[in-house]
Amino acid sequence: MKDSSTAAVNMNMATAKKERPARMRLESLKRNKLLYLMILPGVLYFIIFKYLPMGGLVIAFQDYQPYQGIAGSPWVGWKHFIRLFTEPTFFMLLSNTLILFALNILIFFPLPILLALMLNEVRHKLFKNAVQTIIYIPHFMSWVIIVSITYVFLTVDGGVFNEMLAALGLPKISFLTSPEWLRTVYIGQVIWKELGWSTIIYLAAITVVDTQLYEAAEMDGAGRLRKTWHVTLPAIRPVIITLLILKIGSTLDLGFEHMYLLLNSLNREVAEIFDTYIYTAGLKNGQLSFSTTVGLFKGLVGLILVMLSNRLAKKFGEDGVY
């Protein structure tokens, strides 16, 4: 009798332990319901526009015909993948995309960090706010506006910069149609549009750095430059590593709109990338299955690179993304 009562007590305790986490989760949900409600639009966005469309990737293995639908279209296996990797344009697309991505990593990525460190040293609050507002504005302009303004400045016929060159007796430069200038124009536009906006996360990370570390560095005789190097940069290093990993994940995903606006028949050999090629093959030529194959290839490469870079970051003692 005593053993049965003891077993009953143990069962009740085990049941209570199982119910406790569920009850705590429910209480936490009720307590933070406004926070969950705030993130609901973002969650719905990713579910509707990111996860649900992944079901359509199945047409990469079909000769998809819109009037037959996914269920009625014939299966072709790896046909489109073989075509992608054997076409002469594949290596052109890959090299153009990787070169532009390398420019983003080597030139653009460090600039927001440097700018955030410089803004952090500005003591005049009104001047600092004015500078931040001015450099944030281009982010809210579409690529159409950015490229249009660039056209006004750089076009051969009446462009401001080329007219200045002509006034100085120098030959005009075809910035917008010359293959050798395409990448310079591209990275310049990226810097102009996104530099200011990209500093926000770094500035937010700098604000939470413990001020006692700066005071200790001052007591050791460190100036502004040494405090930046030995205190600020190590403090925001996890943020830098996280953003770098996410950036590496978009190696083959440079964005369609920007490059499509710069693309023309004269610079196509250096301007055609996977994003513009998907548009041409899928929407212009109606090769929906093949364009889906290219998109799936991009996504898989991005996933693999994120996983590898995250593992590498953890190997060197960083937190990584997950």
Side-chain angles (χ1 to χ4, degrees):
M1 189 72 179
K2 185 177 180 180
D3 292 338
S4 60
S5 61
T6 302
V9 171
N10 291 335
M11 290 180 61
N12 291 334
M13 292 178 63
T15 304
K17 287 181 179 179
K18 291 181 180 179
E19 293 177 352
R20 191 179 306 158
R23 186 168 61 251
M24 292 175 64
R25 286 194 295 268
L26 183 60
E27 292 175 356
S28 176
L29 182 63
K30 291 180 179 179
R31 186 169 58 254
N32 301 306
K33 59 183 178 181
L34 293 180
L35 293 177
Y36 288 111
L37 186 62
M38 184 175 65
I39 67 172
L40 182 61
V43 173
L44 291 177
Y45 167 79
F46 279 97
I47 292 175
I48 296 173
F49 295 104
K50 300 296 182 180
Y51 289 99
L52 291 181
M54 290 177 67
L57 293 175
V58 69
I59 70 173
F61 304 93
Q62 296 179 316
D63 268 335
Y64 176 71
Q65 301 297 328
Y67 59 86
Q68 292 180 344
I70 294 178
S73 297
W75 293 88
V76 294
W78 299 98
K79 171 185 172 182
H80 299 299
F81 290 91
I82 295 172
R83 174 189 168 188
L84 172 64
F85 297 132
T86 55
E87 279 195 347
T89 55
F90 174 75
F91 292 101
M92 180 193 73
L93 296 172
L94 185 62
S95 62
N96 290 343
T97 304
L98 291 179
I99 289 173
L100 293 177
F101 174 75
L103 291 175
N104 272 281
I105 289 293
L106 299 177
I107 298 177
F108 173 72
F109 186 79
L111 291 180
I113 304 172
L114 180 61
L115 182 58
L117 295 174
M118 294 171 63
L119 288 173
N120 185 58
E121 295 299 322
V122 176
R123 295 293 177 258
H124 196 288
K125 188 174 181 180
L126 183 61
F127 176 75
K128 181 179 180 179
N129 292 338
V131 171
Q132 287 180 276
T133 302
I134 292 172
I135 63 178
Y136 292 166
I137 289 176
H139 171 78
F140 298 98
M141 300 180 185
S142 69
W143 279 116
V144 175
I145 296 176
I146 297 295
V147 175
S148 299
I149 294 174
T150 306
Y151 179 85
V152 172
F153 277 92
L154 299 182
T155 183
V156 175
D157 300 323
V160 175
F161 189 79
N162 273 308
E163 291 301 319
M164 291 174 59
L165 291 178
L168 295 173
L170 300 174
K172 293 184 178 181
I173 302 174
S174 181
F175 292 102
L176 302 177
T177 57
S178 178
E180 56 265 22
W181 281 100
L182 182 278
R183 289 160 183 160
T184 303
V185 172
Y186 167 84
I187 197 64
Q189 290 174 338
V190 171
I191 292 172
W192 178 28
K193 187 176 188 297
E194 301 296 345
L195 177 60
W197 187 257
S198 300
T199 62
I200 292 178
I201 296 179
Y202 299 113
L203 286 171
I206 291 173
T207 58
V208 299
V209 178
D210 191 352
T211 56
Q212 294 181 357
L213 297 175
Y214 292 111
E215 295 171 359
E218 286 183 4
M219 293 179 63
D220 290 337
R224 283 192 174 187
L225 186 59
R226 286 195 171 275
K227 286 191 291 185
T228 299
W229 183 258
H230 294 289
V231 178
T232 309
L233 276 176
I236 67 173
R237 185 174 60 188
V239 176
I240 297 174
I241 296 298
T242 299
L243 293 179
L244 180 60
I245 293 173
L246 295 176
K247 189 73 173 177
I248 290 174
S250 61
T251 300
L252 302 184
D253 190 13
L254 298 177
F256 161 76
E257 185 181 4
H258 184 195
M259 285 306 301
Y260 185 74
L261 293 169
L262 292 176
L263 183 66
N264 56 61
S265 58
L266 297 177
N267 62 17
R268 184 173 297 275
E269 62 186 44
V270 296
E272 188 82 88
I273 59 176
F274 284 107
D275 297 290
T276 57
Y277 187 69
I278 288 173
Y279 170 77
T280 303
L283 296 182
K284 281 191 171 183
N285 299 334
Q287 302 173 14
L288 299 178
S289 290
F290 180 65
S291 61
T292 302
T293 301
V294 181
L296 179 57
F297 168 72
K298 282 176 46 188
L300 290 175
V301 170
L303 175 62
I304 293 171
L305 289 176
V306 166
M307 294 174 66
L308 291 177
S309 56
N310 187 76
R311 178 173 294 185
L312 187 63
K314 288 192 172 183
K315 187 175 181 180
F316 284 95
E318 302 297 336
D319 292 333
V321 176
Y322 58 90

